[in-house]
Structure formats: C-alpha cells, structure tokens
Amino acid sequence: MKLPHFDLPLVAILRGLAPQDAEAVGRTLFDAGFRLIEVPLNRPGAIDAMRTIRALAPPDALVGGGTMLTLADVDAVADADGQIFVAPNCDPPVIAHAAARGLLCAPGVATPSEAFAALAAGAHILKLFPAEMIGPAGLKAMKSVLPDGTPLWPVGGVAPAQIGEWQAAGASGAGIGGALFTPGVAPDELARRAQAFVAAWRQA
C-alpha cells in the first residue's frame, strides 16, 4: 500500500465505543474534519462499531481497528472491510500479515530497534507509544536515525496544547484517545473536543 496523503493526520481512537453509539460518533468526527478512525478491539462490540462507521465514512476516510495483537485480529478487521491496522506493540509477523491483507499498518514502537523491525515487516506509519514516556525529544532523536520521511505519530497523552511541540519535533500525525473520546460523551462535547484538536493541528 502506498501511504496516502492526509490533510488532517490525526487518528480518533474510540476505545470503548458501543455499537449503538457508533453512527452518531462517526458522523460527529467526520463533520469536524477527522478522516482516520480507530476502534480498539479490546472492548466488546468493536468490530460491529467499526463496521458501522466504515459504512458511513466519506470516500477520503480510513477506518480500522486498534489493539490488534494477533493474526486473528487482523483477519477480523480485514474481513469486516476495515482499512487500518493499529497495535500498541511491534510484532513483525502480525505486521507482515496486516500488510499482506492490504491494511494501512501503524504498529506501536518505543525504541529504534522496534522501529526498524516494524519498517522491515511492512509498517507504513510508526505509532510512538506511549508518547508520554518518549516525549518530543525522544521522537526527534528517533527521527534522526530512521529513513527520511518515515511517518512518526505520537499516541498517548497528546493534548491540543502540545500539538505544536510534537510537530516541531518532527511528528507528521498523532493518535488521540481519551482527550477526544470517552464512552458516553455527548455529541456536542465530542464535537468541541474534535474541533480543538483540528484547530491545534492546523495552527501549529
């Protein structure tokens, strides 16, 4: 897969999304400008919620699964028409399988060794996780040894006020979890949070 260009390279991480809320949440995020949606698989109903959002996604959006730890997770997402593989870890056989199934691959890495192993297995984007531990300085150092143009997206504790610092260090995107979506959040509050992230990224 050739890495697409993303006007807004922010991933909405919808951990704990109930299938019955998926349509409203998806529409709210798409209306705010998000085009990358991740539904972590370590909560009940994740595949159903992902499938609902995928069905209403704009043509330029990508929707997929997160916390994908096994070959079976990859197959479950791919078979449900998912488009993204996201994991908190670097497991080369799982990454390679996801790439072979045509998914955009964003495994988690925290060290240069993991980063190079993930790229060798077919990763398209490196999810720097946990971002709170790595920090912008760690991202900058890792970027200096990785192949030029490697997309580095911090995930974990990223807030709108920090977006500029991450961009200055070389982040080309980011994943946003609890600061954006929490189960049961009202649509107007979700929209407010989403708009704050969109504005922060575009102004940084």
Side-chain angles (χ1 to χ4, degrees), residues 61-78:
L62 295 177
V63 181
T67 319
M68 297 170 65
L69 306 178
T70 67
L71 302 180
D73 289 340
V74 172
D75 288 334
V77 168

Side-chain angles (χ1 to χ4, degrees), residues 108-177:
V109 304
T111 67
S113 294
E114 290 179 340
F116 280 106
L119 291 173
H124 304 103
I125 295 163
L126 298 180
K127 165 186 169 177
L128 297 188
F129 179 80
E132 303 101 318
M133 181 180 76
I134 299 166
L139 184 153
K140 186 175 182 180
M142 203 175 297
K143 183 179 176 66
S144 71
V145 298
L146 291 171
D148 189 45
T150 300
L152 301 173
W153 295 14
V155 178
V158 177
Q162 302 166 326
I163 290 286
E165 187 178 5
W166 283 111
Q167 280 194 10
S172 51
I176 315 297

